[in-house]
Amino acid sequence: MLWPADYHMHTPLCQHAVGTPREYAAQAQKLGLTEIGFSDHSPMRQDGFDNWRMKLAQLDQYVEDVRGAQRDFPQLVIRLALEVDYLPGHEEWIRDLAARHAWDYFIGSVHYVMDSWDVDNPSKLAEWAAHDVTEVWGLYFDRLTHAAASGFFQIIGHADLPKKFGHRPSGDCGPLYERFLDAAAKTGTAIELNTAGLRKDCKEIYPNPQLLGLAARKGVPITFGSDAHAPAEVGLNFTEAVELARQVGYSQRCRFVQRRREIVAL
Ligand code: ZN
Ligand code: FE
Ligand code: FE
Ligand code: ZN
């Protein structure tokens, strides 16, 4: 198949991924991908915020690791990026991070639906018993809408993450999706088809077909990501993802070079 770029890949610096950037690149090349991007979990201004991201002092090493893979795999286009957490009040820090290196793109992700709860964290499943599912999805999409409206991010990551463990509201989420996608369309922010959802309890690509269909109608651009935390996950389930994108009406995807968007055929 004609592979889209895999723009969502991690490195061991985030403390919960395995394999060197060179091993991810080797796997991509073996599969026949021509473009990938590393988007590891960004550091916070203060270390110790949680235990699933690189430390601030490791940021330069991260960039060097990616540059090393670029040197070793000249036939493969390798983008330098970060997956950046969007939380209210973090705007100054995100601007600071953006100025530190020549990033190709930022994936803006909402993991924290409140200060103390990263909604995808398996060690915090007990929180679900203490909160109403509809309320959690509302909090999540409120933050996601702010992330899309901020213009800080080229791509919004896994746009319906709260479904990870199978928690889905019984009512219609259409209005939440509409508000988020209107913000994304207005700022020209892309969303990703993230195949990691297929490997979780929800057994579904992020985002769901309803959200993705609305995104297609509103002209919100797309990228693809495996969210690989191991080399063997690079490009995983991309055939299904491309098929889904086409089904809901997409014929194009985008790529980013130094944060400038290019549209290419799917
Ligand atoms: Zn991760
Ligand atoms: Fe994420
Ligand atoms: Fe990720
Ligand atoms: Zn991710």
Side-chain angles (χ1 to χ4, degrees):
M1 82 160 176
L2 195 61
W3 290 90
D6 187 344
Y7 267 3
H8 196 147
M9 308 191 321
H10 291 273
T11 84
L13 289 176
C14 69
Q15 313 172 60
H16 63 278
V18 295
T20 63
R22 285 176 181 83
E23 290 172 315
Y24 286 74
Q27 174 69 6
Q29 191 159 280
K30 187 179 134 200
L31 291 171
L33 276 85
T34 56
E35 181 172 354
I36 59 174
F38 287 94
S39 53
D40 207 2
H41 298 289
S42 66
M44 292 297 189
R45 194 187 290 282
Q46 258 92 42
D47 294 335
F49 186 86
D50 53 32
N51 63 357
W52 50 266
R53 64 187 65 252
M54 70 181 81
K55 302 211 175 352
L56 181 53
Q58 294 174 315
L59 187 64
D60 290 348
Q61 190 203 326
Y62 170 66
V63 172
E64 259 324 293
D65 290 350
V66 174
R67 297 290 183 221
Q70 288 171 336
R71 283 190 295 272
D72 289 357
F73 292 82
Q75 331 66 328
L76 187 64
V77 174
I78 302 180
R79 301 290 174 209
L80 174 67
L82 284 173
E83 178 177 13
V84 179
D85 278 76
Y86 178 77
L87 287 96
H90 284 226
E91 290 80 1
E92 269 315 305
W93 174 234
I94 297 166
R95 269 193 213 101
D96 180 328
L97 270 177
R100 288 182 183 229
H101 291 281
W103 310 107
D104 288 307
Y105 58 90
F106 272 4
I107 296 179
S109 291
V110 172
H111 300 102
Y112 284 88
V113 290
M114 49 191 80
D115 286 354
S116 57
W117 184 17
D118 32 352
V119 76
D120 59 329
N121 193 332
S123 74
K124 300 200 184 150
L125 273 170
E127 294 283 348
W128 282 103
H131 296 276
D132 176 64
V133 173
T134 301
E135 177 209 330
V136 175
W137 277 61
L139 290 169
Y140 174 82
F141 274 97
D142 194 48
R143 288 191 169 188
L144 205 68
T145 301
H146 279 101
S150 74
F152 290 151
F153 311 112
Q154 284 63 52
I155 304 164
I156 295 293
H158 42 59
D160 61 353
L161 184 64
K163 76 180 175 190
K164 177 177 176 181
F165 303 111
H167 303 88
R168 301 171 202 254
S170 48
D172 177 28
C173 289
L176 296 180
Y177 303 161
E178 293 264 3
R179 219 158 35 98
F180 159 60
L181 292 166
D182 286 341
K186 194 170 168 188
T187 52
T189 306
I191 62 172
E192 64 166 3
L193 279 85
N194 181 317
T195 59
L198 292 169
R199 315 194 289 273
K200 312 297 181 192
D201 296 341
C202 59
K203 298 272 181 267
E204 184 181 76
I205 287 171
Y206 305 108
N208 62 73
Q210 184 195 355
L211 194 162
L212 194 65
L214 279 171
R217 261 170 275 156
K218 291 178 189 289
V220 175
I222 51 166
T223 60
F224 293 79
S226 63
D227 215 337
H229 286 70
E233 293 173 349
V234 172
L236 217 56
N237 299 113
F238 269 30
T239 310
E240 287 104 299
V242 169
E243 198 174 302
L244 174 63
R246 290 213 176 99
Q247 261 167 29
V248 303
Y250 280 102
S251 56
Q252 297 176 320
R253 62 177 176 92
C254 59
R255 49 203 296 254
F256 290 98
V257 187
Q258 304 262 303
R259 303 205 221 182
R260 279 192 330 275
R261 188 173 73 204
E262 293 176 5
I263 303 287
V264 291
L266 196 54

